[in-house]
Amino acid sequence: AAGVIQSPRHLIKEKRETATLKCYPIPRHDTVYWYQQGPGQDPQFLISFYEKMQSDKGSIPDRFSAQQFSDYHSELNMSSLELGDSALYFCASSTGTTTSNEQFFGPGTRLTVL
Amino acid sequence: AQSVTQLDSQVPVFEEAPVELRCNYSSSVSVYLFWYVQYPNQGLQLLLKYLSGSTLVKGINGFEAEFNKSQTSFHLRKPSVHISDTAEYFCAVIRTSYGKLTFGQGTILTVHP
């Protein structure tokens, strides 16, 4: 069965650079969630989209922005990168905003900021 | 707001022994409860979830969890673990109305031969 695809899987950037993470949800899933998992930390919710509109916002820095496109894929744009942004970034997808619907997680993008 | 506390950061056990990973939550509103597993360098995989109904929930890989409303707990159990169960396990909650998953700090289960 098709799963959530994230690209790239690994990304190395310098401080103050920008990064773009991409997420391709499972076909027919219309909701995308982004989570950040720092080293040894639990995943923290960043932002979510339903039908191309932002549906919820968590602890996402102002330096980050995200959007969901007409084909439902989503991109997380990160600017002025800081060392503390080094983390595993997960994307998850589901159908609709009913919270009982399972969120299927992608393998994550590991971002390292040097 | 809701919060999740996993009472053990690391649990070492021997193969074929039983295991319990403890999770307590607090919330002022109704929530759904989940357990996810994360194998090294992989994403999160859903083990099981409690939405309503029977408080004993069975999941994949022989795991089960019991929802206890009075104690606000959702402990994960397996009667006999395998080496392949070595992973990090996350308890999570989500509001029944809307919102995002809130995770606990994770429990690293290490199964020794």
Side-chain angles (χ1 to χ4, degrees):
Chain A
V4 176
I5 298 171
Q6 290 187 248
S7 68
R9 292 292 309 278
H10 301 273
L11 190 58
I12 299 175
K13 291 286 185 178
E14 301 274 345
K15 279 174 56 178
R16 292 180 288 279
E17 286 190 322
T18 61
T20 297
L21 279 53
K22 297 183 179 182
C23 169
Y24 298 86
I26 291 171
R28 291 180 295 281
H29 281 196
D30 50 18
T31 307
V32 168
Y33 305 82
W34 286 97
Y35 293 85
Q36 177 192 55
Q37 185 180 26
Q41 305 292 315
D42 55 289
Q44 294 288 322
F45 171 75
L46 292 177
I47 196 167
S48 63
F49 293 88
Y50 168 65
E51 284 290 347
K52 294 151 279 184
M53 300 288 289
Q54 181 181 307
S55 55
D56 199 359
K57 192 173 181 180
S59 50
I60 184 169
D62 292 340
R63 300 177 289 106
F64 293 6
S65 65
Q67 58 182 322
Q68 186 179 32
F69 294 85
S70 57
D71 63 352
Y72 295 105
H73 93 273
S74 177
E75 295 184 3
L76 178 65
N77 298 292
M78 311 159 71
S79 62
S80 302
L81 287 169
E82 302 174 356
L83 296 178
D85 296 328
S86 295
L88 191 55
Y89 290 83
F90 287 112
C91 170
S93 74
S94 70
T95 54
T97 56
T98 302
T99 58
S100 59
N101 292 345
E102 180 179 347
Q103 292 183 27
F104 292 83
F105 283 79
T109 294
R110 185 170 296 281
L111 172 67
T112 303
V113 181
L114 302 176
Chain B
Q2 53 271 20
S3 66
V4 180
T5 302
Q6 291 182 239
L7 300 165
D8 307 290
S9 59
Q10 297 194 48
V11 174
V13 294
F14 287 107
E15 195 173 18
E16 297 182 8
V19 70
E20 178 180 79
L21 306 184
R22 297 179 295 168
C23 171
N24 287 94
Y25 70 95
S26 67
S27 178
S28 56
V29 297
S30 296
V31 294
Y32 297 129
L33 298 147
F34 303 81
W35 274 99
Y36 283 86
V37 59
Q38 184 177 30
Y39 298 102
N41 299 313
Q42 293 189 31
L44 295 160
Q45 181 183 5
L46 181 67
L47 273 179
L48 48 78
K49 62 182 177 182
Y50 174 77
L51 304 181
S52 64
S54 173
T55 57
L56 183 62
V57 180
K58 292 190 183 298
I60 62 172
N61 301 339
F63 284 94
E64 62 181 31
E66 185 154 22
F67 170 59
N68 188 318
K69 188 174 182 179
S70 62
Q71 296 185 7
T72 59
S73 67
F74 190 54
H75 301 334
L76 181 70
R77 301 185 183 100
K78 185 169 183 178
S80 176
V81 293
H82 302 290
I83 298 287
S84 59
D85 292 324
T86 294
E88 188 161 18
Y89 293 78
F90 290 94
C91 181
V93 301
I94 193 169
R95 279 193 255 183
T96 58
S97 53
Y98 76 97
K100 75 286 185 184
L101 286 165
T102 299
F103 290 87
Q105 302 89 334
T107 297
I108 297 174
L109 173 65
T110 304
V111 181
H112 298 283

